[in-house]
Amino acid sequence: MSFSRSLLLPFAAASLAAAPAPQVAPADPAAAARVRGHIEFLADDLLEGRGTGTRGHEIAASYVASQFRALGLQPAGDNGSWYQWVPLRRARLVEGKSNIAMATGGAFAPVSEFELGLRPSLTEARREIEAGMVFVGHGISDDRLGINDYAGLDVRGKIVVLLGGAPSGLPTEIAAHLGADKLRAAAAHGAVGMLEIGGRRNSDRPAGSPPVSLYSKRPAIDWIDKAGRSGDNMGSVRVTLSASRAMAERLFEGAPKSLDAVRAEAAAKGGRPRGFALRPRLRIQSESAWEDFRSPEVVAKLPGSDPRLAAEHIVLMGHLDHLGPVANPKPGADAVNNGALDNAAGVATMLEAARAFVASGKPPRRSVMFIANTGEELGLLGADYFAAHPTVPAASIVGLVDLDMPLLLYPFTDVIAFGAEHSTVAKAVADAGRSMGVAVSPDPMPEESIFVRSDHYRFVTRGIPAILLMTGFANGGEAQWKHFLGKVYHTPGDDLGQKIDWNAAARYGELNYRISRTLADADQRPLWYRGDYFGDRFAPTAPRATP
Ligand SMILES: [Zn+2]
């Protein structure tokens, strides 16, 4: 799972009254042992945290390919192999070769890295940009919702300045998507740069705090294909920036409204501040150094049996990569981010779901693909590359189930199905859950925007009904989630020292199997619901179902 760490801190310690634990049916003990075997291998210190592009991750990939082979699946990567190699680029700003100057009416004066930060470029080794700035509200442009924060503003060749987040009152998954879609909107209007200033959530970040300078120091990483196309394709946008609070306020000097005033407008229910031109101009010079490398997706296929449906594919995926070693470990401290739950658990349960397909003795009607992704922790990169360069015809992928960071620490009795409510996949999830005594609950933490933070989202934006199942808050889940996200997530503590509930692990694998089996065997492929935002936006010509 790929969260912004700053989003997690507001979690308060959970306090739950003890309730009588519901009875949870035991899974097949052999299934629990198999899942345990996979997780114990993948989360071993020997794999050094499975960082994208590392030997540890490639050993893990080799293990998954061997398991696919042993199950009798077919390789479905590049050229009949198990692997699709993702070409990746890491870009860093060259020390001492980047500077930003600002002029508000008078002469240009240098701006420090604590005031304005900029991201390295993956496509331009040298950048020289001089541009004016325009405030564009939340920076949202969406015909379907009737929101166009760019209306009446000319931002061509300008740097757009926008507030993070989305107007209040929108459905949470749409709000999360709009928050993740701002670069595209800026490019669609011809902007040359984008500067997002903290939304309400971040409005108290003090000037000069680490995020602005770290914004420049962290490398940028994305895939870059033979044609030089990057997943980080920003169209006309050549630079993205971050400002300290004091600098953000300075950008509004002499403007029709202050930053505080537009923030107050945005804080009102449904508030959507209108944009206007800002007075400052920026002059940006930067040099980026590149390091190119590659990392594999592991891809397998179980051919379908129905001549009419076998050309269609249902995809199960889980990311195999994690964070690698701790950057600067304290002497004697645990130095490996093992990623036992994030996401050895998802891959292990995907392998168990694959085994269940084979062990049923009855091939699915549609073909089923199994993918162990890379680069998820770096920004959903492997899934995005596969979605842009699928090894089967893109139109043949008709549904997707993502297994990412199931919290297998308690006997879960409910799940949250991110993305399911938009399509007929909702019914498959509800039916499979009912058959196992597992309820489907609404998202209990919409502020986390989980819908856009895992690999399945890269398929939603390509028009494919795709879901992610999270183990729910019932039966002790809430306290486990709050503890995990607050204390364990993306630390060396996500290791085999946790009390993993192997029965819950087997049940999670079984549940995902039942959902994907239903999708693979149904007469009708998964269909977006009529009038659904994501279906209308990303699959406008696809057939529809009535909810
Ligand atoms: Zn993660």
Side-chain angles (χ1 to χ4, degrees):
M1 183 72 65
S2 162
F3 279 95
S4 148
R5 177 106 197 131
S6 63
L7 297 185
L8 300 170
L9 299 177
F11 261 113
S15 63
L16 281 185
Q23 285 296 309
V24 171
D28 174 6
R34 282 188 296 265
V35 173
R36 180 173 185 169
H38 297 315
I39 294 179
E40 286 183 346
F41 181 87
L42 295 172
D44 195 287
D45 276 356
L46 287 169
L47 271 60
E48 298 172 341
R50 307 187 307 279
T52 297
T54 68
R55 182 170 181 270
H57 175 261
E58 288 182 25
I59 293 170
S62 174
Y63 176 83
V64 172
S66 290
Q67 296 297 322
F68 284 158
R69 171 82 76 195
L71 288 170
L73 304 182
Q74 294 181 356
D78 295 331
N79 308 315
S81 77
W82 295 105
Y83 294 153
Q84 178 184 51
W85 287 95
V86 180
L88 295 159
R89 172 168 292 169
R90 183 182 283 118
R92 285 193 168 82
L93 290 180
V94 180
E95 200 81 38
K97 297 275 188 178
S98 293
N99 54 72
I100 305 178
M102 185 165 93
T104 308
F108 279 95
V111 171
S112 88
E113 62 179 349
F114 296 100
E115 297 172 301
L116 279 179
L118 75 161
R119 299 295 292 140
S121 174
L122 289 151
T123 50
E124 288 187 278
R126 281 188 187 76
R127 283 179 296 193
E128 286 192 35
I129 297 164
E130 189 184 320
M133 308 181 88
V134 180
F135 174 62
V136 293
H138 287 106
I140 292 170
S141 167
D142 192 299
D143 295 344
R144 205 152 279 105
L145 298 170
I147 300 178
N148 186 2
D149 292 336
Y150 285 84
L153 299 171
D154 182 3
V155 305
R156 274 170 299 174
K158 306 274 176 51
I159 294 166
V160 293
V161 175
L162 48 86
L163 298 175
S168 59
L170 289 169
T172 58
E173 295 193 345
I174 293 177
H177 162 69
L178 293 173
D181 191 47
K182 296 188 179 187
L183 203 55
R184 187 208 54 77
H189 291 85
V192 72
M194 184 177 109
L195 192 164
E196 181 167 336
I197 50 187
R200 277 156 285 171
R201 194 202 303 276
N202 297 327
S203 60
D204 293 323
R205 178 172 291 162
S209 67
V212 173
S213 54
L214 284 182
Y215 190 78
S216 307
K217 290 206 163 53
R218 275 187 300 119
I221 307 181
D222 215 320
W223 59 259
I224 186 138
D225 69 11
K226 283 203 192 76
R229 284 189 308 154
S230 168
D232 195 33
N233 183 0
M234 306 195 292
S236 62
V237 178
R238 296 170 60 201
V239 63
T240 52
L241 299 125
S242 171
S244 69
R245 185 177 198 184
M247 174 53 75
E249 283 167 4
R250 273 178 64 194
L251 296 177
F252 284 75
E253 278 173 15
K257 287 178 185 166
S258 70
L259 177 58
D260 280 347
V262 296
R263 273 198 172 126
E265 279 180 53
K269 190 166 173 8
R272 285 175 40 208
R274 291 177 64 93
F276 43 78
L278 299 171
R279 291 188 66 219
R281 292 180 69 77
L282 293 186
R283 186 183 282 165
I284 297 163
Q285 289 181 314
S286 87
E287 283 188 31
S288 299
W290 296 332
E291 175 199 345
D292 289 351
F293 62 109
R294 62 178 200 160
S295 180
E297 299 270 284
V298 193
V299 191
K301 177 173 163 169
L302 179 63
S305 61
D306 186 322
R308 200 172 55 83
L309 300 178
E312 296 182 348
H313 297 86
I314 298 294
V315 176
L316 268 80
M317 61 171 38
H319 75 89
L320 182 60
D321 67 295
H322 191 54
L323 304 171
V326 177
N328 296 300
K330 295 200 181 79
D334 186 352
V336 179
N337 291 301
N338 302 86
L341 296 177
D342 182 18
N343 183 35
V347 173
T349 46
M350 176 178 74
L351 288 170
E352 182 56 20
R355 196 205 59 83
F357 270 104
V358 173
S360 72
K362 190 166 160 268
R365 294 175 69 197
R366 287 184 181 77
S367 297
V368 180
M369 293 184 84
F370 302 92
I371 307 178
N373 294 118
T374 188
E376 193 273 349
E377 302 286 11
L378 302 176
L380 322 184
L381 305 185
D384 192 57
Y385 184 79
F386 185 89
H389 307 79
T391 57
V392 296
S396 75
I397 300 174
V398 298
L400 183 139
V401 177
D402 181 24
L403 295 85
D404 189 3
M405 207 169 86
L407 214 62
L408 306 175
L409 299 172
Y410 61 101
F412 69 90
T413 55
D414 70 329
V415 291
I416 295 96
F418 294 95
E421 67 190 66
H422 309 292
S423 71
T424 55
V425 176
K427 187 172 180 327
V429 173
D431 289 350
R434 201 173 303 115
S435 73
M436 292 179 64
V438 175
V440 180
S441 301
D443 183 359
M445 33 184 184
E447 67 284 3
E448 298 297 328
S449 301
I450 290 176
F451 177 62
V452 301
R453 294 186 184 277
S454 187
D455 287 326
H456 70 290
Y457 176 63
R458 296 299 198 223
F459 292 82
V460 170
T461 57
R462 287 175 170 87
I464 298 164
I467 64 158
L468 164 69
L469 278 200
M470 181 183 124
T471 47
F473 269 21
N475 203 27
E478 181 173 9
Q480 293 285 359
W481 271 106
K482 290 186 172 177
H483 174 75
F484 184 84
L485 290 179
K487 295 272 192 318
V488 182
Y489 170 76
H490 281 195
T491 74
D494 180 10
D495 64 11
L496 296 164
Q498 298 170 101
K499 279 192 73 173
I500 297 177
D501 180 333
W502 303 110
N503 189 61
R507 288 172 62 244
Y508 182 79
E510 173 73 18
L511 179 61
N512 280 283
Y513 165 66
R514 292 191 190 193
I515 292 167
S516 42
R517 178 97 217 185
T518 302
L519 299 179
D521 285 350
D523 289 337
Q524 184 61 260
R525 58 150 79 176
L527 296 178
W528 295 101
Y529 284 142
R530 193 163 288 114
D532 179 75
Y533 172 83
F534 293 97
D536 287 354
R537 172 82 191 269
F538 297 112
T541 60
R544 291 289 192 275
T546 304

